PDB file of all heavy atoms in Angstrom:
ATOM      1  N   PHE A 338      56.221 -55.052 109.699  1.00 97.00           N
ATOM      2  CA  PHE A 338      56.314 -54.971 111.163  1.00 97.00           C
ATOM      3  C   PHE A 338      54.939 -55.155 111.801  1.00 97.00           C
ATOM      4  O   PHE A 338      54.796 -55.853 112.817  1.00 97.00           O
ATOM      5  CB  PHE A 338      56.928 -53.642 111.592  1.00 97.00           C
ATOM      6  CG  PHE A 338      57.230 -53.587 113.059  1.00 97.00           C
ATOM      7  CD1 PHE A 338      58.346 -54.243 113.571  1.00 97.00           C
ATOM      8  CD2 PHE A 338      56.378 -52.923 113.934  1.00 97.00           C
ATOM      9  CE1 PHE A 338      58.609 -54.221 114.940  1.00 97.00           C
ATOM     10  CE2 PHE A 338      56.644 -52.895 115.296  1.00 97.00           C
ATOM     11  CZ  PHE A 338      57.765 -53.543 115.803  1.00 97.00           C
ATOM     12  N   ALA A 339      53.914 -54.567 111.195  1.00 97.00           N
ATOM     13  CA  ALA A 339      52.566 -54.695 111.746  1.00 97.00           C
ATOM     14  C   ALA A 339      52.094 -56.151 111.726  1.00 97.00           C
ATOM     15  O   ALA A 339      51.426 -56.612 112.658  1.00 97.00           O
ATOM     16  CB  ALA A 339      51.596 -53.820 110.953  1.00 97.00           C
ATOM     17  N   ARG A 340      52.448 -56.878 110.666  1.00 96.00           N
ATOM     18  CA  ARG A 340      51.988 -58.264 110.525  1.00 96.00           C
ATOM     19  C   ARG A 340      52.828 -59.244 111.334  1.00 96.00           C
ATOM     20  O   ARG A 340      52.309 -60.247 111.835  1.00 96.00           O
ATOM     21  CB  ARG A 340      52.046 -58.694 109.049  1.00 96.00           C
ATOM     22  CG  ARG A 340      50.900 -58.192 108.180  1.00 96.00           C
ATOM     23  CD  ARG A 340      51.126 -58.664 106.754  1.00 96.00           C
ATOM     24  NE  ARG A 340      50.009 -58.394 105.869  1.00 96.00           N
ATOM     25  CZ  ARG A 340      49.027 -59.237 105.611  1.00 96.00           C
ATOM     26  NH1 ARG A 340      48.991 -60.422 106.200  1.00 96.00           N
ATOM     27  NH2 ARG A 340      48.055 -58.914 104.771  1.00 96.00           N
ATOM     28  N   THR A 341      54.132 -59.003 111.417  1.00 96.00           N
ATOM     29  CA  THR A 341      55.047 -60.029 111.929  1.00 96.00           C
ATOM     30  C   THR A 341      55.876 -59.599 113.128  1.00 96.00           C
ATOM     31  O   THR A 341      56.537 -60.435 113.738  1.00 96.00           O
ATOM     32  CB  THR A 341      56.017 -60.472 110.821  1.00 96.00           C
ATOM     33  OG1 THR A 341      56.922 -59.393 110.529  1.00 96.00           O
ATOM     34  CG2 THR A 341      55.270 -60.879 109.555  1.00 96.00           C
ATOM     35  N   ARG A 342      55.919 -58.301 113.416  1.00 96.00           N
ATOM     36  CA  ARG A 342      56.807 -57.737 114.433  1.00 96.00           C
ATOM     37  C   ARG A 342      58.277 -57.972 114.106  1.00 96.00           C
ATOM     38  O   ARG A 342      59.129 -58.008 114.974  1.00 96.00           O
ATOM     39  CB  ARG A 342      56.476 -58.283 115.833  1.00 96.00           C
ATOM     40  CG  ARG A 342      55.149 -57.739 116.379  1.00 96.00           C
ATOM     41  CD  ARG A 342      55.236 -56.231 116.561  1.00 96.00           C
ATOM     42  NE  ARG A 342      54.036 -55.621 117.120  1.00 96.00           N
ATOM     43  CZ  ARG A 342      53.085 -55.026 116.399  1.00 96.00           C
ATOM     44  NH1 ARG A 342      53.178 -54.991 115.076  1.00 96.00           N
ATOM     45  NH2 ARG A 342      52.053 -54.464 116.972  1.00 96.00           N
ATOM     46  N   GLN A 343      58.552 -58.148 112.824  1.00 95.00           N
ATOM     47  CA  GLN A 343      59.928 -58.220 112.337  1.00 95.00           C
ATOM     48  C   GLN A 343      60.241 -56.982 111.515  1.00 95.00           C
ATOM     49  O   GLN A 343      59.346 -56.354 110.952  1.00 95.00           O
ATOM     50  CB  GLN A 343      60.129 -59.460 111.454  1.00 95.00           C
ATOM     51  CG  GLN A 343      59.961 -60.784 112.175  1.00 95.00           C
ATOM     52  CD  GLN A 343      60.249 -61.943 111.249  1.00 95.00           C
ATOM     53  OE1 GLN A 343      61.250 -61.981 110.542  1.00 95.00           O
ATOM     54  NE2 GLN A 343      59.354 -62.927 111.223  1.00 95.00           N
ATOM     55  N   LEU A 344      61.527 -56.660 111.446  1.00 96.00           N
ATOM     56  CA  LEU A 344      61.961 -55.549 110.609  1.00 96.00           C
ATOM     57  C   LEU A 344      62.174 -56.057 109.191  1.00 96.00           C
ATOM     58  O   LEU A 344      62.859 -57.067 108.983  1.00 96.00           O
ATOM     59  CB  LEU A 344      63.263 -54.947 111.154  1.00 96.00           C
ATOM     60  CG  LEU A 344      63.165 -54.305 112.536  1.00 96.00           C
ATOM     61  CD1 LEU A 344      64.552 -53.843 113.000  1.00 96.00           C
ATOM     62  CD2 LEU A 344      62.191 -53.131 112.521  1.00 96.00           C
ATOM     63  N   GLY A 345      61.608 -55.376 108.221  1.00 96.00           N
ATOM     64  CA  GLY A 345      61.763 -55.785 106.826  1.00 96.00           C
ATOM     65  C   GLY A 345      63.107 -55.362 106.263  1.00 96.00           C
ATOM     66  O   GLY A 345      63.781 -54.469 106.803  1.00 96.00           O
ATOM     67  N   PRO A 346      63.534 -55.979 105.180  1.00 97.00           N
ATOM     68  CA  PRO A 346      64.802 -55.634 104.537  1.00 97.00           C
ATOM     69  C   PRO A 346      64.757 -54.234 103.933  1.00 97.00           C
ATOM     70  O   PRO A 346      63.680 -53.720 103.603  1.00 97.00           O
ATOM     71  CB  PRO A 346      64.954 -56.702 103.449  1.00 97.00           C
ATOM     72  CG  PRO A 346      63.536 -57.122 103.144  1.00 97.00           C
ATOM     73  CD  PRO A 346      62.794 -57.024 104.445  1.00 97.00           C
ATOM     74  N   GLY A 347      65.921 -53.635 103.770  1.00 97.00           N
ATOM     75  CA  GLY A 347      65.991 -52.260 103.289  1.00 97.00           C
ATOM     76  C   GLY A 347      66.158 -52.111 101.792  1.00 97.00           C
ATOM     77  O   GLY A 347      65.760 -51.102 101.216  1.00 97.00           O
ATOM     78  N   ARG A 348      66.791 -53.095 101.156  1.00 98.00           N
ATOM     79  CA  ARG A 348      67.033 -53.026  99.715  1.00 98.00           C
ATOM     80  C   ARG A 348      66.649 -54.346  99.056  1.00 98.00           C
ATOM     81  O   ARG A 348      66.443 -55.353  99.716  1.00 98.00           O
ATOM     82  CB  ARG A 348      68.505 -52.698  99.411  1.00 98.00           C
ATOM     83  CG  ARG A 348      68.907 -51.282  99.813  1.00 98.00           C
ATOM     84  CD  ARG A 348      70.349 -50.985  99.403  1.00 98.00           C
ATOM     85  NE  ARG A 348      70.761 -49.656  99.848  1.00 98.00           N
ATOM     86  CZ  ARG A 348      70.612 -48.555  99.138  1.00 98.00           C
ATOM     87  NH1 ARG A 348      70.077 -48.616  97.939  1.00 98.00           N
ATOM     88  NH2 ARG A 348      71.013 -47.391  99.618  1.00 98.00           N
ATOM     89  N   MET A 349      66.599 -54.327  97.727  1.00 98.00           N
ATOM     90  CA  MET A 349      66.209 -55.514  96.961  1.00 98.00           C
ATOM     91  C   MET A 349      67.419 -56.360  96.570  1.00 98.00           C
ATOM     92  O   MET A 349      67.400 -57.056  95.556  1.00 98.00           O
ATOM     93  CB  MET A 349      65.424 -55.085  95.732  1.00 98.00           C
ATOM     94  CG  MET A 349      64.056 -54.487  96.073  1.00 98.00           C
ATOM     95  SD  MET A 349      62.917 -55.672  96.856  1.00 98.00           S
ATOM     96  CE  MET A 349      62.478 -56.702  95.439  1.00 98.00           C
ATOM     97  N   THR A 350      68.445 -56.331  97.377  1.00 98.00           N
ATOM     98  CA  THR A 350      69.681 -57.061  97.097  1.00 98.00           C
ATOM     99  C   THR A 350      70.275 -57.581  98.391  1.00 98.00           C
ATOM    100  O   THR A 350      69.987 -57.048  99.475  1.00 98.00           O
ATOM    101  CB  THR A 350      70.706 -56.141  96.406  1.00 98.00           C
ATOM    102  OG1 THR A 350      71.924 -56.869  96.172  1.00 98.00           O
ATOM    103  CG2 THR A 350      71.034 -54.922  97.262  1.00 98.00           C
TER     104      THR A 350
END
Side-chain angles (χ1 to χ4, degrees):
F338 188 77
R340 281 178 172 267
T341 69
R342 289 297 182 262
Q343 296 183 48
L344 296 176
R348 292 184 183 270
M349 292 296 286
T350 179

